[in-house]
Amino acid sequence: DQQVKQNSPSLSVQEGRISILNCDYTNSMFDYFLWYKKYPAEGPTFLISISSIKDKNEDGRFTVFLNKSAKHLSLHIVPSQPGDSAVYFCAARDWGGSEKLVFGKGTKLTVNP
Amino acid sequence: GAVVSQHPSRVICKSGTSVKIECRSLDFQATTMFWYRQFPKQSLMLMATSNEGSKATYEQGVEKDKFLINHASLTLSTLTVTSAHPEDSSFYICSARVSGSYVGELFFGEGSRLTVL
């Protein structure tokens, strides 16, 4: 049972445009959501996060939106740059206090020059 | 940011042999490390939580006798795949959290690609 779903395995956008990566979840006990970026041959690196008590968090070109009623979050990258091309993983934490994260399958973003 | 290093990055072994993968936090101490496994086109799946000086906590469905975890120091955790079989072929990746930091600050190793022939 996939508790964190990234339904788009890939996304291609033009440099300078907005990239929107989506993530849906099923477990209403998740209290913290994170996005990780992964380049080939490297481990994932933390990008941005959002607590379930918020609906938006912004860091430079990256903004994460959370819609709790829809159990949906999205990562917006504006403007997109070729260096943003990577696999993006959405992850969620169960509020039970465990540090355990549940990951989505990832979305491969390609930003074309 | 903090650095986590895994070794080896790739390993090929024969069925029935054991393989050890090391995960090191290079510039910080990690009381807790996590081991994940990722099959092609699948999510990173948590296998176990490794705690320094104590037994690892395994996720449901993960055989603790097959995947031996040792976290003997604050900078090193090892995963040993015992009696490996072709179905154990996967991408294994560790992560560590800087003690006292919030949940987002998980630092991942580069991953280890295991191929069992």
Side-chain angles (χ1 to χ4, degrees):
Chain A
D1 180 32
Q2 194 79 18
Q3 295 189 71
V4 177
K5 300 177 183 179
Q6 292 177 260
N7 292 319
S8 298
S10 63
L11 174 68
S12 184
V13 300
Q14 207 63 31
E15 181 179 7
R17 306 293 290 269
I18 184 172
S19 295
I20 300 177
L21 297 104
N22 294 304
C23 179
D24 297 292
Y25 62 96
T26 58
N27 188 343
S28 53
M29 302 302 278
F30 288 147
D31 69 334
Y32 206 84
F33 303 89
L34 308 95
W35 284 94
Y36 286 83
K37 179 169 71 173
K38 183 183 182 303
Y39 292 117
E42 294 183 13
T45 55
F46 171 71
L47 188 59
I48 192 170
S49 64
I50 188 167
S51 165
S52 60
I53 63 173
K54 295 186 175 182
D55 55 18
K56 177 182 176 181
N57 188 27
E58 191 172 354
D59 183 3
R61 297 185 296 114
F62 302 91
T63 303
V64 56
F65 295 92
L66 175 63
N67 182 333
K68 285 183 63 178
S69 60
K71 294 191 176 67
H72 176 83
L73 65 156
S74 60
L75 173 68
H76 292 212
I77 306 174
V78 183
S80 301
Q81 299 173 354
D84 296 329
S85 297
V87 176
Y88 290 79
F89 290 97
C90 171
R93 183 186 74 169
D94 190 318
W95 83 280
S98 165
E99 296 176 74
K100 183 169 60 177
L101 296 181
V102 180
F103 285 83
K105 293 183 180 181
T107 297
K108 183 178 181 180
L109 173 66
T110 302
V111 180
N112 301 304
Chain B
V3 178
V4 174
S5 178
Q6 263 182 262
H7 178 80
S9 58
R10 290 181 182 275
V11 57
I12 300 173
C13 70
K14 292 183 178 180
S15 184
T17 60
S18 294
V19 174
K20 180 186 283 188
I21 301 170
E22 293 186 346
C23 178
R24 293 182 185 273
S25 56
L26 297 185
D27 52 358
F28 67 100
Q29 294 184 332
T31 54
T32 303
M33 291 185 174
F34 304 89
W35 286 95
Y36 291 84
R37 179 169 55 184
Q38 185 182 26
F39 292 108
K41 298 185 179 180
Q42 298 298 315
S43 315
L44 285 166
M45 297 295 293
L46 181 65
M47 298 175 65
T49 301
S50 169
N51 300 295
E52 187 268 335
S54 65
K55 290 184 179 180
T57 304
Y58 291 81
E59 295 300 304
Q60 192 173 11
V62 178
E63 300 175 59
K64 63 180 180 181
D65 294 330
K66 180 169 183 62
F67 299 98
L68 301 179
I69 292 173
N70 186 303
H71 194 156
S73 78
L74 287 171
T75 59
L76 174 64
S77 176
T78 60
L79 168 68
T80 301
V81 183
T82 62
S83 188
H85 290 282
E87 56 265 30
D88 298 324
S89 298
S90 186
F91 185 70
Y92 293 87
I93 192 165
C94 71
S95 69
R97 189 173 72 91
V98 177
S99 299
S101 65
Y102 74 103
V103 68
E105 288 189 306
L106 275 183
F107 296 95
F108 284 83
E110 310 94 323
S112 301
R113 173 76 60 191
L114 171 63
T115 302
V116 184
L117 302 177

